[in-house]
C-alpha cells in the first residue's frame, strides 16, 4: 500500500520595489518578512543542520551540476502554522507546512498568499509615502528570468527512482492543460514562429529530462535527494516543473492528481500502455504553445496523443486504482473522491469547450481576459498593455489584482484560510512544530522540517527529532500538550 | 492494433454528466450575453486599474532568477 502522500508547496514570489532609492530585491524581501514577523511575539530562526540540496536521488552528482547555495545570513523564520518564511536569493519565499491531503495544501497555499499580502501592507507602512513594495505570485519577468513554485511529495524510498522518472514524466508534461498559469508571448524561441499565448509560465525554462539543477538547465524531474525525514524509508520528491497558481481548482488538481499518480506508481499500478514520451522537453513546450489543445505528442512507442488524451488515460487508471486499492494514500478519501470527479469534469471541459473553465483555471481565465481586452482596444499581441495585464493578473494587492476581480470558483473559504496563517495542519508533524512554537517559542532556539531545538536553561541545547512526517499529529500529541506548562515538562514527557 | 487505438470520448458515464449539465445551463445566448456583460464591466475596471505607463511598468519588471 502506498504511503500517505504528505505534500507541500514552496513559492518564490516576484517582488517589485517602487522607490527612488536603489533598494535591492533582497533588502526589500528582508524588509517584507521582518515587517511581518515583527508582529509575532518572538522570532524563531531556521535550523540549517539537515540542509543538503546537492545530494542527488540517483546516488551521484553529475560533473558540472550546480546545487543551490544556502544563504544562512538572510531572514528565515518558522511560523506557528508550521510554515517556513524566508528570503531566497532575491525573492520572498513561503513554504507551506507539510499537509496530508491536497485540499489542506490548497488551504495552506492560500494562507501563504495572505501572509505575503499582510507582509506587503506591513512593510509599506514603514516606507515613506509614495514608495511601495509590490508582490506578484507568478513565475517569470517576461525577460527570461524565472522563479519557482515547487511541490514536495513523500515517496517510499523502496520505489526505484528511474521508475518515478519513467512513469511520472508524462503526467508532469501534460498536466499544464489545467495547471498552467498562462503567459503572453514566449521567452525562448521555439519552432520559428512568434507565440501569442502559452498555457504555462514555466514550460519555456525546462531543458533537461532529469537533473539536479533548479536555476539553469532545469530538468522536468528534479533529483534533489534531501528527504527531511528518515532517509532509509522516505524520499521527498521535489517537483520543480509547476506554475504558481492563483485559481484554487488549478492548485487542487495540480497537487492532488500528482499525489494520486505517485501513489499509483508506488503501488505498481501502471500496467497498460507505456506512456513514456519520445521527447519530453519538446513535448512540454509544444503542449504549452497550443491553446486549442489539439497538438499531439509522440510516445516512445510511436503512438501520438494530445495532452488531454494522455490525461484521460491517467484518469482511467486512477478510477480503476480507486476501485481496486482505495484512495487512502491521498490522506482523506472524501477529498480524493472529489478530486477524481473534478479531474473528470475539467478534462471534459477542456475537450468540449475550454472557455467553460474560465472560472476554474488560470490560463483560461487569463486568456479570456486578454482576448477581450485586445479586441476592445484593437491591440497587437506585442502591445505593452497586454504584457502589463499579464503581470497584473498576479499582483497580490487587492486593489490592483486582476485575478481578484474575476469571479473564480472557490474551494476554500476566507475563514479557514485566515486560520491557516497561524494554525498548523492537524495531520502531520507540522502540528507538533506549530504547537511548540505557539506554546514555547521563547525556549525554542531554532526549528526545521525534521527537528526542533530547545534551550531550557540547561548546559546543552536539546534537539527533538521529527523524522516521521506522519507522527506528531493532533491525535498523537494533543494529550501530551494537555496540562503541560513548561518546555522542560514537554521534553520530560517526550522522554528525551 | 486494437490496443493502441484511442478510446472514444466521452464514455457513457461522461455522456450522462454532459447531458445533465446541458439541461441545467441557461440557453446559450442568455449565458453568452451574461458573460459578455460581465467581461465588459471588468474591462472598464481594468482600464482604471492598469498600471499607468504600461510600457515602463513592463520594462522595469525585472526579477533575478531564484530557486
Amino acid at each position: 500500500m502506498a504511503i500517505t502522500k504528505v505534500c507541500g508547496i514552496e513559492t518564490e514570489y516576484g517582488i517589485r520595489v517602487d522607490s527612488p532609492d536603489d533598494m535591492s530585491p533582497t533588502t526589500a524581501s528582508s524588509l517584507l518578512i521582518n515587517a511581518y514577523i515583527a508582529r509575532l511575539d518572538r522570532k524563531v530562526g531556521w535550523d540549517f543542520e539537515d540542509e543538503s540540496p546537492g545530494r542527488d536521488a540517483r546516488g551521484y552528482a553529475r560533473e558540472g551540476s550546480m546545487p543551490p547555495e544556502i544563504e544562512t545570513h538572510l531572514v528565515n523564520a518558522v511560523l506557528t502554522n508550521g510554515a517556513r518564511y524566508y528570503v531566497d536569493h532575491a525573492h520572498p519565499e513561503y513554504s507551506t507546512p507539510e499537509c496530508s491531503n491536497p485540499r489542506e495544501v490548497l488551504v495552506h497555499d492560500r494562507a501563504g498568499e495572505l501572509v505575503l499580502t499582510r507582509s506587503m501592507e506591513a512593510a509599506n507602512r514603514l516606507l515613506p509615502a509614495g514608495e511601495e513594495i509590490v508582490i506578484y505570485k507568478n513565475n517569470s519577468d517576461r525577460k527570461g528570468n524565472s522563479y519557482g513554485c515547487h511541490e514536495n511529495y513523500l515517496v517510499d524510498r523502496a520505489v526505484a527512482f528511474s521508475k518515478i522518472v519513467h512513469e511520472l514524466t508524462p503526467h508532469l508534461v501534460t498536466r499544464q492543460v489545467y495547471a498552467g498559469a498562462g503567459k503572453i508571448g514566449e521567452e525562448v524561441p521555439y519552432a520559428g514562429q512568434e507565440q501569442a499565448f502559452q498555457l504555462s509560465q514555466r514550460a519555456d525554462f525546462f531543458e533537461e529530462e532529469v537533473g539536479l539543477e533548479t536555476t539553469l538547465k532545469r530538468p522536468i524531474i528534479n533529483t534533489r535527494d534531501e528527504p527531511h525525514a528518515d532517509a532509509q524509508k522516505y524520499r521527498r520528491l521535489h517537483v520543480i516543473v509547476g506554475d504558481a497558481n492563483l485559481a484554487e481548482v488549478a492548485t487542487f488538481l495540480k497537487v492532488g492528481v500528482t499525489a494520486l499518480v505517485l501513489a499509483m506508481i508506488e503501488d505498481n499500478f501502471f500496467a497498460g500502455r507505456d506512456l513514456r514520451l519520445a521527447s519530453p522537453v519538446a513535448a512540454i513546450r509544444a503542449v504549452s504553445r497550443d491553446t486549442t489543445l489539439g497538438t499531439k505528442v509522440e510516445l516512445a512507442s510511436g503512438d501520438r496523443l494530445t495532452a488531454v488524451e494522455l490525461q484521460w488515460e491517467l484518469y482511467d487508471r486512477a478510477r480503476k486504482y480507486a476501485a481496486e486499492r482505495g484512495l487512502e494514500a491521498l490522506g482523506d478519501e472524501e477529498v480524493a473522491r472529489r478530486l477524481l470527479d473534478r479531474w473528470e469534469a475539467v478534462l471534459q471541459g477542456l475537450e468540449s469547450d475550454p472557455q467553460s473553465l474560465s472560472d476554474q483555471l488560470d490560463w483560461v481565465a487569463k486568456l479570456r481576459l486578454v482576448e477581450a481586452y485586445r479586441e476592445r482596444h484593437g491591440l497587437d499581441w506585442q502591445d505593452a498593455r497586454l504584457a502589463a495585464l499579464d503581470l497584473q493578473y498576479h499582483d497580490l494587492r487587492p486593489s490592483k489584482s486582476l485575478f481578484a476581480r474575476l469571479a473564480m470558483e472557490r474551494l476554500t473559504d476566507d475563514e479557514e484560510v485566515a486560520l491557516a496563517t497561524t494554525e498548523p495542519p492537524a495531520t502531520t508533524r507540522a502540528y507538533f512544530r506549530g504547537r511548540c512554537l505557539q506554546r514555547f517559542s521563547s525556549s525554542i532556539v531554532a526549528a526545521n522540517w525534521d527537528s526542533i531545538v530547545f534551550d531550557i536553561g540547561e548546559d546543552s541545547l536539546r534537539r527533538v527529532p521529527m523524522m516521521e512526517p506522519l507522527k506528531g499529529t493532533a491525535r498523537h500529541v494533543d494529550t501530551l500538550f494537555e496540562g503541560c506548562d513548561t518546555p522542560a515538562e514537554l521534553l520530560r514527557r517526550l522522554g528525551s | 492494433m486494437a490496443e493502441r487505438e484511442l478510446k472514444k470520448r466521452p464514455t457513457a458515464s461522461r455522456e450522462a454528466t454532459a447531458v445533465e449539465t446541458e439541461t441545467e445551463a441557461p440557453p446559450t445566448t442568455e449565458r453568452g450575453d451574461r458573460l459578455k456583460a460581465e467581461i465588459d464591466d471588468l474591462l472598464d475596471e481594468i482600464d482604471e486599474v492598469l498600471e499607468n505607463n504600461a510600457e515602463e511598468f513592463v520594462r522595469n519588471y525585472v526579477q533575478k532568477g531564484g530557486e
Side-chain angles (χ1 to χ4, degrees):
Chain A
M1 186 68 206
I3 54 174
T4 302
K5 291 286 148 272
V6 173
C7 43
I9 299 180
E10 338 159 8
T11 308
E12 290 176 3
Y13 287 83
I15 183 165
R16 182 170 70 84
V17 187
D18 199 353
S19 159
D21 302 330
D22 207 9
M23 196 194 296
S24 78
T26 308
T27 306
S29 300
S30 304
L31 176 65
L32 187 85
I33 296 170
N34 278 325
Y36 184 78
I37 57 185
R39 304 160 22 138
L40 310 175
D41 285 351
R42 185 180 182 278
K43 177 190 158 194
V44 172
W46 190 257
D47 178 6
F48 288 94
E49 180 70 20
D50 81 331
E51 302 274 323
S52 50
R55 196 177 297 145
D56 196 303
R58 296 163 299 186
Y60 61 91
R62 275 170 111 168
E63 209 157 310
S65 63
M66 301 270 286
E69 284 174 27
I70 295 177
E71 298 157 326
T72 51
H73 59 288
L74 297 176
V75 180
N76 216 311
V78 199
L79 307 182
T80 56
N81 62 359
R84 180 187 181 194
Y85 188 24
Y86 54 114
V87 180
D88 185 71
H89 303 277
H91 300 270
E93 177 159 348
Y94 186 91
S95 296
T96 68
E98 306 91 325
C99 298
S100 70
N101 74 68
R103 191 181 181 285
E104 203 166 58
V105 179
L106 168 63
V107 171
H108 278 275
D109 185 58
R110 294 300 319 252
E113 289 170 26
L114 189 54
V115 166
L116 267 292
T117 306
R118 288 173 178 171
S119 303
M120 187 165 60
E121 287 161 2
N124 286 335
R125 279 197 289 273
L126 302 174
L127 292 175
E131 298 187 18
E132 193 178 21
I133 293 173
V134 184
I135 301 299
Y136 298 81
K137 194 186 188 194
N138 63 359
N139 303 104
S140 138
D141 68 356
R142 313 181 40 80
K143 297 171 185 68
N145 300 311
S146 187
Y147 31 105
C149 176
H150 301 171
E151 302 139 66
N152 297 288
Y153 301 90
L154 189 70
V155 176
D156 192 333
R157 174 68 64 172
V159 180
F161 197 77
S162 57
K163 180 176 160 71
I164 296 173
V165 173
H166 291 150
E167 296 180 348
L168 185 63
T169 300
H171 167 62
L172 294 181
V173 168
T174 53
R175 67 176 184 165
Q176 53 182 318
V177 295
Y178 45 79
K183 178 168 81 176
I184 295 179
E186 63 185 348
E187 289 162 277
V188 175
Y190 179 80
Q193 55 190 33
E194 198 107 325
Q195 188 64 33
F197 191 92
Q198 297 191 54
L199 307 187
S200 163
Q201 295 243 314
R202 296 263 288 164
D204 273 341
F205 300 100
F206 285 78
E207 301 174 63
E208 304 277 345
E209 292 174 27
V210 188
L212 187 57
E213 290 84 357
T214 55
T215 55
L216 48 99
K217 289 198 176 302
R218 293 179 183 86
I220 293 169
I221 298 273
N222 182 255
T223 55
R224 183 182 298 177
D225 190 6
E226 200 183 15
H228 298 312
D230 184 341
Q232 303 294 313
K233 292 163 72 175
Y234 306 117
R235 282 183 196 290
R236 169 181 64 112
L237 187 70
H238 186 230
V239 173
I240 68 167
V241 72
D243 288 3
N245 292 108
L246 287 159
E248 295 194 350
V249 172
T251 300
F252 181 57
L253 287 179
K254 173 176 73 179
V255 175
V257 174
T258 304
L260 182 51
V261 170
L262 283 168
M264 287 155 63
I265 292 171
E266 216 165 284
D267 279 337
N268 287 312
F269 211 84
F270 252 69
R273 178 178 9 198
D274 183 352
L275 294 174
R276 264 181 290 178
L277 297 163
S279 174
V281 174
I284 203 168
R285 294 188 183 177
V287 170
S288 180
R289 280 167 169 73
D290 180 14
T291 55
T292 70
L293 308 175
T295 293
K296 288 184 186 286
V297 295
E298 191 177 343
L299 305 187
S301 65
D303 289 2
R304 296 172 66 80
L305 291 179
T306 67
V308 174
E309 285 165 349
L310 199 147
Q311 283 286 319
W312 273 127
E313 285 242 1
L314 295 173
Y315 169 82
D316 285 340
R317 290 176 195 193
R319 274 285 179 208
K320 195 159 172 271
Y321 175 77
E324 290 179 22
R325 307 286 182 92
L327 291 165
E328 214 180 310
L330 261 74
D332 181 317
E333 297 194 49
E334 175 52 33
V335 169
R337 272 192 294 277
R338 272 184 275 148
L339 173 78
L340 275 172
D341 290 346
R342 179 63 69 143
W343 187 13
E344 178 178 9
V346 164
L347 291 180
Q348 264 166 9
L350 289 170
E351 210 166 42
S352 56
D353 175 19
Q355 282 293 309
S356 67
L357 301 169
S358 64
D359 62 346
Q360 296 182 54
L361 305 182
D362 285 309
W363 76 263
V364 183
K366 191 190 280 183
L367 179 57
R368 172 170 170 255
L369 201 59
V370 169
E371 287 278 23
Y373 195 77
R374 201 172 77 88
E375 196 178 308
R376 172 182 279 202
H377 295 286
L379 305 178
D380 287 340
W381 277 103
Q382 287 71 32
D383 195 286
R385 276 169 287 178
L386 295 186
L389 196 149
D390 185 348
L391 291 172
Q392 222 175 310
Y393 178 89
H394 305 271
D395 193 323
L396 284 195
R397 290 172 297 179
S399 62
K400 289 285 189 179
S401 163
L402 300 186
F403 170 80
R405 287 181 154 68
L406 302 166
M408 299 295 279
E409 183 179 345
R410 296 285 304 268
L411 303 177
T412 67
D413 62 58
D414 290 345
E415 202 179 330
E416 64 180 334
V417 170
L419 193 66
T421 62
T422 54
E423 280 293 304
T427 52
T428 68
R429 65 183 174 191
Y431 186 81
F432 179 73
R433 183 186 311 120
R435 280 283 175 271
C436 284
L437 286 162
Q438 287 171 353
R439 299 283 303 277
F440 307 123
S441 74
S442 59
S443 302
I444 296 174
V445 180
N448 64 22
W449 300 117
D450 57 24
S451 67
I452 300 181
V453 181
F454 287 87
D455 180 353
I456 53 167
E458 294 177 349
D459 287 346
S460 57
L461 299 176
R462 303 272 290 272
R463 179 184 293 271
V464 178
M466 305 185 291
M467 302 310 280
E468 289 290 338
L470 286 161
K471 288 188 180 160
T473 67
R475 197 168 56 81
H476 292 128
V477 300
D478 261 349
T479 47
L480 191 74
F481 280 105
E482 258 169 49
C484 184
D485 296 326
T486 66
E489 171 65 9
L490 178 73
L491 293 176
R492 195 188 59 73
R493 290 185 183 191
L494 281 167
S496 61
Chain B
M1 279 185 291
E3 63 174 20
R4 286 194 171 181
E5 271 174 27
L6 287 185
K7 279 187 199 152
K8 268 194 175 171
R9 302 290 171 194
T11 63
S13 72
R14 281 175 202 133
E15 214 150 21
T17 327
V19 169
E20 256 169 54
T21 326
E22 222 166 83
T23 41
E24 278 169 20
T28 321
T29 49
E30 197 181 306
R31 182 166 186 265
D33 288 349
R34 189 171 49 80
L35 281 177
K36 188 162 184 329
E38 237 175 57
I39 200 128
D40 278 343
D41 289 349
L42 192 60
L43 294 180
D44 292 342
E45 267 189 68
I46 289 176
D47 279 330
E48 282 165 30
V49 300
L50 203 61
E51 297 290 345
N52 284 332
N53 187 339
E55 210 154 313
E56 195 186 326
F57 163 60
V58 170
R59 191 176 50 242
N60 291 342
Y61 187 88
V62 180
Q63 301 288 307
K64 290 195 175 160
E67 318 187 68

